[in-house]
Amino acid sequence: MKSKAPLIMMEQMVMILVFALAAALCLQAFVLSDSMSREGQRRDKAVLLCQNLAEECKASGHAGENVIPVPDASGEISSAPVYYYDENSQLTESPSVYHVEAVRISSDVPALARAQVTAYDEATGKELFSMEFAWQEEDG
């Protein structure tokens, strides 16, 4: 009678190979979900930064020809079209984690001003979020 040991050994090797493949697939899924979660967090912060900048622009009640004056990190009105934010969503003087551009766009409706704000990831230069908004200006 022949020994069945080689057959059992082969079966164990196949089971280990299948388990290793399943573990590798699960690990890839976890890594992908983590990167998607981090990207979602960056996009959420970008949405908040754009919304806050849009509200500041509307509250200031005035805008230049091409750019919108908004208080900078020191609290003074700046007409620079690009604003830099750190990881805590605080304005900074130099490039940091996010940069947000606010640009006035033309409007065909009298007394209605329009602008667009766009947030970018400073490290990759990738656009994270963009939105247009409008507000009513006084005729004058």
Side-chain angles (χ1 to χ4, degrees):
M1 198 155 122
K2 286 181 146 185
S3 172
K4 294 184 182 180
L7 186 61
I8 293 173
M9 187 78 106
M10 184 78 84
E11 182 181 353
Q12 292 294 325
M13 294 290 277
V14 169
M15 288 178 17
I16 289 173
L17 179 65
V18 168
F19 177 76
L21 289 174
L25 289 174
C26 288
L27 184 62
Q28 282 183 338
F30 286 129
V31 168
L32 179 62
S33 68
D34 183 55
S35 67
M36 288 174 63
S37 175
R38 290 179 192 275
E39 185 176 332
Q41 286 176 342
R42 284 194 304 271
R43 189 174 299 118
D44 288 346
K45 278 190 178 183
V47 168
L48 286 174
L49 291 173
C50 286
Q51 288 175 337
N52 289 342
L53 188 57
E55 292 300 324
E56 287 181 35
C57 292
K58 290 192 298 188
S60 68
H62 62 289
E65 289 301 312
N66 295 321
V67 295
I68 301 166
V70 176
D72 62 11
S74 64
E76 295 188 20
I77 297 293
S78 169
S79 61
V82 178
Y83 304 93
Y84 298 103
Y85 294 91
D86 63 12
E87 62 277 351
N88 297 320
S89 302
Q90 301 296 318
L91 276 169
T92 62
E93 296 296 325
S94 61
S96 187
V97 178
Y98 304 97
H99 78 266
V100 181
E101 296 177 359
V103 180
R104 187 169 180 161
I105 53 180
S106 64
S107 174
D108 297 336
V109 180
L112 184 69
R114 293 178 49 216
Q116 180 173 359
V117 291
T118 306
Y120 297 93
D121 185 348
E122 190 68 28
T124 63
K126 179 181 172 186
E127 179 180 313
L128 296 173
F129 184 74
S130 181
M131 67 180 269
E132 286 187 21
F133 63 98
W135 69 96
Q136 188 173 354
E137 290 187 314
E138 293 181 21
D139 267 341

